[in-house]
Amino acid sequence: MHLTTTQLQALDALSELRHFTKAAERIGITQSALSQQVKALEQSVGLPLINRDTRPLTLTPMGEKLLIRARIILQQASAIEAECRETESLKEGKLSFGIIPTIAPYLTRAILPHFITSYPGIQLDIHEDTTSNLAKKVHQGHIDLAITSDLSTIPSSISQHLDEYPLFKEKLYLATPVEVATPDGKLPMIGLKEGHCLRDQAITVCNQAIDHNISCDQIATLLSLVKAGLGSAVIPSMAVPNPSDSAIEISELPNAQRLVQVITRPQVHPNPATQAFIDTLTSQLPLVK
């Protein structure tokens, strides 16, 4: 059985107006088209729905039963259309986005208040993860977009299916403790756990291995380890303590920087909230940087 909303609208209009011409005008089709819709509906259910030999027209018992269901379906269809219009106008909806942990604490507090104020009906679902994992989630359609570093370490089988929108290049700095607290008095290079792009970038810019005896997932934790005198670490400019911390020395690493960008999956019908979020992000970036 194949029923369409137009067929159900035809039945509903006929039940109310009891006249083919008036019913056709009600739903915006010709009288002949309305008759075809009703006949197709009757063929689908296998029973007559209209008593055509009465004046005015009446519904058969089966037509009356189907009309009850038809009106429920039409109400639900109308509700779906209304929800779609609300989502399209960004009055409601959901945005699922990812962000790498080395950016999340600093960028979200600068961007999200503006986005939430502009689009209070949009529900936000935030995923903190590594660039590699976020790229996979975007590619698989689990999240709408992600704020990551560059995709140089991502397999081309994934990266070639992603759209990249560069935001800015962020300088990298070396954080060193004023007092060393290691047993041998040496100052190792400490960093985030394997999988974090900042760890790989630190190894590249410092040409020094990361101490495997100590690692963590968050920049705040990394800075606390530096402050405790357990090692030095590479941090992005957004993580530089402000105001400065007297227990940590910050020095700029010449020509050391990383790309910060948005990645999305090409879609025929993208989530309208995605572009709104990107627009908010780019408009607020001068204030963040």
Side-chain angles (χ1 to χ4, degrees), residues 148-285:
T148 70
S149 188
D150 68 81
L151 305 183
S152 59
T153 60
I154 307 300
S156 60
S157 60
I158 294 178
S159 61
Q160 68 181 351
H161 297 294
L162 298 173
D163 286 339
E164 302 176 51
Y165 302 90
L167 297 175
F168 60 91
K169 290 185 177 180
E170 184 180 24
K171 291 183 178 180
L172 300 179
Y173 292 81
L174 183 65
T176 307
V178 173
E179 297 183 6
V180 179
T182 56
D184 57 6
K186 295 181 180 180
L187 196 62
M189 177 70 69
I190 60 176
L192 300 179
K193 293 179 180 178
E194 291 187 9
H196 289 276
C197 51
L198 185 61
R199 179 187 179 92
D200 299 328
Q201 292 158 350
I203 294 173
T204 300
V205 300
C206 293
N207 194 27
Q208 183 179 345
I210 301 292
D211 187 351
H212 289 280
N213 292 325
I214 183 169
S215 61
C216 59
D217 284 311
Q218 303 292 332
I219 287 287
T221 305
L222 189 62
L223 281 171
S224 69
L225 295 173
V226 172
K227 184 175 181 177
L230 299 178
S232 59
V234 173
I235 62 173
S237 63
M238 281 189 285
V240 172
N242 185 22
S244 60
D245 192 319
S246 60
I248 302 175
E249 291 183 354
I250 302 295
S251 56
E252 185 175 344
L253 293 167
N255 302 318
Q257 58 186 9
R258 67 171 179 175
L259 175 67
V260 176
Q261 64 179 356
V262 170
I263 58 173
T264 63
R265 184 178 62 160
Q267 299 180 46
V268 177
H269 300 292
N271 181 353
T274 298
Q275 188 58 53
F277 184 84
I278 294 175
D279 291 342
T280 302
L281 186 61
T282 53
S283 68
Q284 295 301 316
L285 277 181

Side-chain angles (χ1 to χ4, degrees), residues 83-186:
E83 288 178 5
C84 289
R85 288 193 296 270
E86 290 292 306
T87 299
E88 189 68 27
S89 63
L90 296 174
K91 290 183 179 179
E92 63 178 38
K94 179 178 180 180
L95 177 68
S96 181
F97 76 92
I99 186 167
I100 54 178
T102 54
I103 293 177
Y106 316 104
L107 208 54
T108 53
R109 69 188 182 197
I111 301 300
L112 292 189
H114 298 276
F115 184 81
I116 292 172
T117 299
S118 299
Y119 309 102
I122 301 297
Q123 177 186 345
L124 295 175
D125 184 18
I126 305 172
H127 299 248
E128 287 189 64
D129 212 330
T130 63
T131 290
S132 176
N133 288 338
L134 291 176
K136 292 177 184 177
K137 290 179 180 180
V138 173
H139 175 58
Q140 294 168 353
H142 297 318
I143 57 178
D144 297 303
L145 62 92
I147 302 172
T148 70
S149 188
D150 68 81
L151 305 183
S152 59
T153 60
I154 307 300
S156 60
S157 60
I158 294 178
S159 61
Q160 68 181 351
H161 297 294
L162 298 173
D163 286 339
E164 302 176 51
Y165 302 90
L167 297 175
F168 60 91
K169 290 185 177 180
E170 184 180 24
K171 291 183 178 180
L172 300 179
Y173 292 81
L174 183 65
T176 307
V178 173
E179 297 183 6
V180 179
T182 56
D184 57 6
K186 295 181 180 180

Side-chain angles (χ1 to χ4, degrees), residues 8-123:
L8 299 181
Q9 286 173 342
L11 180 67
D12 183 40
L14 276 174
S15 71
E16 182 178 344
L17 301 174
R18 309 289 177 171
H19 194 281
F20 272 93
T21 301
K22 294 179 180 179
E25 292 175 352
R26 163 74 64 84
I27 64 175
I29 60 177
T30 63
Q31 181 177 336
S32 61
L34 181 94
S35 297
Q36 292 173 1
Q37 293 294 329
V38 173
K39 288 180 181 179
L41 182 58
E42 290 176 323
Q43 289 174 356
S44 293
V45 300
L47 291 169
L49 303 174
I50 304 293
N51 291 315
R52 293 172 172 80
D53 56 353
T54 62
R55 292 293 181 272
L57 295 175
T58 59
L59 300 186
T60 65
M62 184 61 200
E64 294 287 357
K65 288 182 179 180
L66 183 58
L67 178 63
I68 296 173
R69 300 284 187 181
R71 285 176 171 168
I72 294 173
I73 293 172
L74 291 173
Q75 288 173 357
Q76 292 176 336
S78 178
I80 291 173
E81 291 176 355
E83 288 178 5
C84 289
R85 288 193 296 270
E86 290 292 306
T87 299
E88 189 68 27
S89 63
L90 296 174
K91 290 183 179 179
E92 63 178 38
K94 179 178 180 180
L95 177 68
S96 181
F97 76 92
I99 186 167
I100 54 178
T102 54
I103 293 177
Y106 316 104
L107 208 54
T108 53
R109 69 188 182 197
I111 301 300
L112 292 189
H114 298 276
F115 184 81
I116 292 172
T117 299
S118 299
Y119 309 102
I122 301 297
Q123 177 186 345

